[in-house]
Amino acid sequence: MVLDTNNEKFATSDEKIQELTEISQKYSKIISRAILETEKNIIGQEDVVKKILISIISDGHVLLESVPGLAKTLLIKTMADIFSVRNVRIQFTPDLLPADILGTKIYKNNSNSFEIQKGPIFHNFVLADEINRAPPKVQSALLESMQEKQVSIHGETFQLEKPFLVLATQNPIENEGTYKLPEAQVDRFALKILIDYPTKENEIKIIENNTIETEIKAESILKPTQILEMQEFNSKIYADKIILKYVASIVDSTRNPDNYELDLENIIEFGASPRASIWLIKTAKANALINGRGYVISEDIKEVAHDVLRHRLILTFEAEADEITTDKVIDMILDKIPSP
């Protein structure tokens, strides 16, 4: 798509858009290198890798849904190596306590005083493995850190080191011994990404990579300061008012489907919140950046719409009984709402 800056729907100047595009192209080349480096270890998950990079650039968190054994731990470790940041894996279990994640105060005999012992949340990339296996009070312990990028321990507040990413996983096929994530918790995730099984050809490559004597290690591509620069620049990418109206229409249609001639009244029980609109724009900007553009187009919105909205729509019991998924509903909305 060629940006027609003479059209009234694009109110910014040619020079400004050109400047933003040139910077985006510079970052896009770096991200392309990062993707190639990730593919040394992560085979056949190009879309997942791209979406996680989108979440990092837009400074959001990710909820991954997949069956065990699809390299989620390897993925975040590889990402951490590429971005030169510290990472940690926390296995969520029914007996986990908030202090096991955040930290606590411990008494030191030699100093006759209490000292703060920080928990594993004080890392840049945090893999919350099987988050739905921990009770709600533990899940809620992540709320402050995810939203405010800070942790409170016994009345003292500590800022988390940036960049900070929580990548939580849950198993969609096993419900025994699990606790459903509270809606407030789910809404904190910018994206919900579904990971599917690899193809037969990709599985052969996976077998080859994991049965050789030499370990394949990803090289460092970016420094943490460069990630922060990219996150700051992402907010500057141009999104025209017509794009904002498009996003607002998509989200509003989940609450008022009749206004858009969508037969969803008995399908959607609760629509998406304004946070969905914000993340649609933020992640669409990141998608534009990855594609080397300094401006958002409707295709950027469509690229991230399912991942942003699928966990923010609550369907009725009747819809679930009829095996209607949120992805099907989002398809209906995107087909109905005219793109600019």
Side-chain angles (χ1 to χ4, degrees), residues 210-322:
N210 288 272
T211 55
I212 58 176
E213 186 176 353
T214 306
E215 181 183 0
I216 301 174
K217 185 173 176 60
E219 297 180 8
S220 174
I221 301 295
L222 278 167
K223 295 180 180 179
T225 53
Q226 291 176 293
I227 301 174
L228 297 179
E229 289 173 5
M230 204 179 300
Q231 289 176 345
E232 183 179 356
F233 173 74
N234 189 63
S235 62
K236 299 177 183 178
I237 288 180
Y238 181 64
D240 194 82
K241 284 188 177 180
I242 196 167
I243 294 293
L244 302 185
K245 289 179 181 177
Y246 179 53
V247 167
S249 296
I250 290 173
V251 176
D252 185 58
S253 70
T254 68
R255 309 166 195 154
N256 304 292
D258 290 346
N259 295 347
Y260 301 86
E261 299 180 355
L262 282 162
D263 187 18
L264 299 174
E265 185 175 351
N266 297 320
I267 295 177
I268 300 178
E269 186 170 1
F270 294 102
S273 71
R275 191 178 273 127
S277 301
I278 294 169
W279 281 114
L280 275 171
I281 292 297
K282 283 185 173 183
T283 55
K285 286 184 175 185
N287 192 69
L289 184 151
I290 289 175
N291 288 298
R293 278 183 281 100
Y295 54 91
V296 176
I297 58 178
S298 58
E299 282 73 13
D300 292 317
I301 305 296
K302 293 176 182 178
E303 182 79 17
V304 299
H306 289 80
D307 304 287
V308 172
L309 293 173
R310 66 164 55 101
H311 55 300
R312 293 186 162 94
L313 300 183
I314 301 177
L315 304 186
T316 62
F317 175 79
E318 290 80 2
E320 293 180 355
D322 291 337

Side-chain angles (χ1 to χ4, degrees), residues 33-52:
R33 286 178 57 206
I35 292 174
L36 289 174
E37 202 63 32
T38 305
E39 290 175 351
K40 287 182 179 180
N41 287 329
I42 309 301
I43 309 296
Q45 300 291 356
E46 293 82 3
D47 185 63
V48 174
V49 170
K50 181 183 177 183
K51 294 297 172 56
I52 292 178

